């Protein structure tokens, strides 16, 4: 199921996928359909199913950002 996510408090939630690795449900990677502005380690990411918050966590790394 496609979810919505955001990495900035003033941003609108946008479509993303959640990918879990070998570490289990404690860590995941959010893959946004479009590049996100300025995700940074230490900030929080929030996941939504429609308007309902279903999860979130602290960003450890921003991967695949355009230079």
């Amino acid at each position: 199921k496609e979810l919505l996510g955001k990495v900035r408090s003033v941003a609108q939630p946008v479509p993303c996928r959640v990918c879990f690795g070998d570490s289990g449900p404690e860590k995941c990677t959010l893959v946004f359909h479009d590049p996100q502005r300025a995700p940074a380690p230490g900030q929080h990411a929030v996941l939504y199913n429609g308007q309902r918050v279903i999860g979130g966590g602290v960003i450890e790394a921003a991967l695949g950002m355009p230079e």
Side-chain angles (χ1 to χ4, degrees):
K1 179 172 175 118
E2 185 163 285
L3 299 173
L4 300 174
K6 67 178 188 174
V7 296
R8 311 242 351 132
S9 62
V10 296
Q12 292 295 316
V14 293
C16 67
R17 286 183 298 131
V18 179
C19 301
F20 292 96
D22 295 335
S23 61
E26 290 81 29
K27 290 187 178 185
C28 66
T29 300
L30 299 184
V31 180
F32 288 91
H33 293 221
D34 296 312
Q36 297 302 295
R37 182 180 169 270
Q43 291 180 324
H44 286 79
V46 181
L47 286 170
Y48 298 85
N49 184 1
Q51 294 185 343
R52 177 177 281 182
V53 174
I54 61 168
V58 177
I59 297 170
E60 289 188 357
L63 308 173
M65 293 301 298
E67 297 189 24

